[in-house]
Amino acid sequence: MTTSEAAVRERLTRALHERGEEIADRWVELQMEQALLDTDIGEAELREEADALIEALVPGLQSGVPVDRVVTSSPGLHEAVVGLSLRRARAGATPTATSLAVLALKEALLKAVQRDTRDAEELFASAVFMNRLLDVAGALSFETYVEGREEIIRRQSQQLMEQSTPVVRLWRQVLAVPLIGTLDTARTQVVMENLLQAIQDHEALVAIIDITGVPTVDTAVAQHLMQTVNAVRLMGADCVISGVRPSIAQTIAQLGIDLSTILTRATLADALAAAIKLIDGPGPDGDEGDGR
């Protein structure tokens, strides 16, 4: 570390110690003045973020680590930047706005330094140091935001997928899964996991997969259905596919898809009647059982 850089670090550390509240207030003002937030994050929360980041800057500057690695190698500072970015991601701010919010700290810091010195060379050296320091923080905030937002989207997609494929108990030991939309590999896995767990929990003997809401059935969809049916059978339950409309039946026949080993019905009501018969067997006159 050069003598000049050591002096800059000392100057910034002194400013943070003596004018920490002033720097935090100015940073919050800059974010609000420049409209860097398009979220419901309030001034109080901004101030908490500012206090945490400014407090973490001091040990980072005192660590002696090269300026380009201060943010990434100082645990407290790294955590403060990451936490700020993740909160912005959850609040719906853009990654650009998040990075600019971090970079706005430069102006607040430089203003505090100007109160101690008016020397042009010292101010220039301080500005260069702060640029190198906070540019890394801005890049880290952008990267963290993107990764955090992707994780939020994945989690929301998973929750939405699970909610869109509910397992419904229709009758004693009879479950149904109403499918709506395209049945792809990811959704098949969710359907299969939820259905198999429900079969175990309810000791079900028949599972109805209703495809009334599936717009088309092609080879891929048929394969996904077969995978689910085979998994259900491995659990010791029978499987019925309902919602086979004329157009779907024609498509399946034209594609040469063999569903002959699976019990199919046109409507969910027909499938339920067939499921009850599978459980109770035909009555004395050949009718369905009572399903008790």
Side-chain angles (χ1 to χ4, degrees), residues 183 185 188 192 217-230 257 259:
L183 188 64
T185 302
T188 299
M192 192 181 300
V217 174
D218 54 17
T219 304
V221 172
Q223 289 176 346
H224 293 317
L225 288 173
M226 288 298 297
Q227 290 174 3
T228 304
V229 170
N230 291 335
I257 299 171
L259 298 181

Side-chain angles (χ1 to χ4, degrees), residues 1-196:
M1 183 189 307
T2 65
T3 304
S4 175
E5 182 177 323
V8 170
R9 286 176 182 253
E10 183 180 351
R11 192 178 302 119
L12 288 175
T13 301
R14 185 168 60 251
L16 289 168
H17 274 305
E18 297 176 357
R19 298 187 172 85
E21 291 188 6
E22 177 185 322
I23 294 171
D25 288 339
R26 180 55 183 159
W27 187 27
V28 171
E29 289 175 6
L30 287 169
Q31 292 181 73
M32 300 184 73
E33 288 174 2
Q34 298 174 14
L36 295 178
L37 297 171
D38 188 20
T39 69
D40 57 356
I41 296 178
E43 185 174 350
E45 187 172 352
L46 291 177
R47 180 55 192 262
E48 289 180 6
E49 291 178 346
D51 289 340
L53 189 55
I54 289 171
E55 182 179 353
L57 270 172
V58 174
L61 291 172
Q62 294 175 333
S63 65
V65 175
V67 61
D68 296 332
R69 301 208 323 261
V70 168
V71 174
T72 55
S73 63
S74 177
L77 187 53
H78 184 276
E79 182 180 347
V81 175
V82 168
L84 180 151
S85 303
L86 291 177
R87 281 190 295 274
R88 303 298 172 92
R90 298 187 191 102
T94 65
T96 300
T98 301
S99 296
L100 290 175
V102 174
L103 297 177
L105 179 57
K106 295 179 183 180
E107 182 178 334
L109 275 172
L110 189 58
K111 185 176 181 179
V113 171
Q114 284 179 321
R115 291 181 176 272
D116 291 333
T117 178
R118 292 290 180 176
D119 184 274
E121 290 187 3
E122 291 182 353
L123 289 175
F124 178 76
S126 298
V128 171
F129 184 90
M130 284 187 289
N131 280 335
R132 294 176 63 188
L133 174 69
L134 293 177
D135 283 350
V136 175
L140 174 62
S141 69
F142 190 94
E143 180 182 351
T144 302
Y145 177 100
V146 172
E147 292 177 354
R149 195 65 180 167
E150 288 177 352
E151 176 59 28
I152 291 171
I153 292 172
R154 282 194 296 269
R155 187 166 60 249
Q156 290 175 339
S157 297
Q158 179 70 16
Q159 293 172 347
L160 182 61
M161 191 178 298
E162 291 176 355
Q163 292 173 357
S164 65
T165 54
V167 179
V168 183
R169 184 175 182 271
L170 296 181
W171 199 263
R172 175 179 55 86
Q173 296 180 308
V174 178
L175 302 175
V177 181
L179 299 179
I180 300 174
T182 303
L183 188 64
D184 57 15
T185 302
R187 195 171 182 207
T188 299
Q189 186 65 30
V190 173
V191 170
M192 192 181 300
E193 291 176 357
N194 292 347
L195 182 55
L196 297 183

Side-chain angles (χ1 to χ4, degrees), residues 196 199 203-206 229-239:
L196 297 183
I199 289 173
E203 298 181 349
L205 296 179
V206 181
V229 170
N230 291 335
V232 168
R233 287 173 173 171
L234 287 174
M235 292 289 291
D238 288 317
C239 198

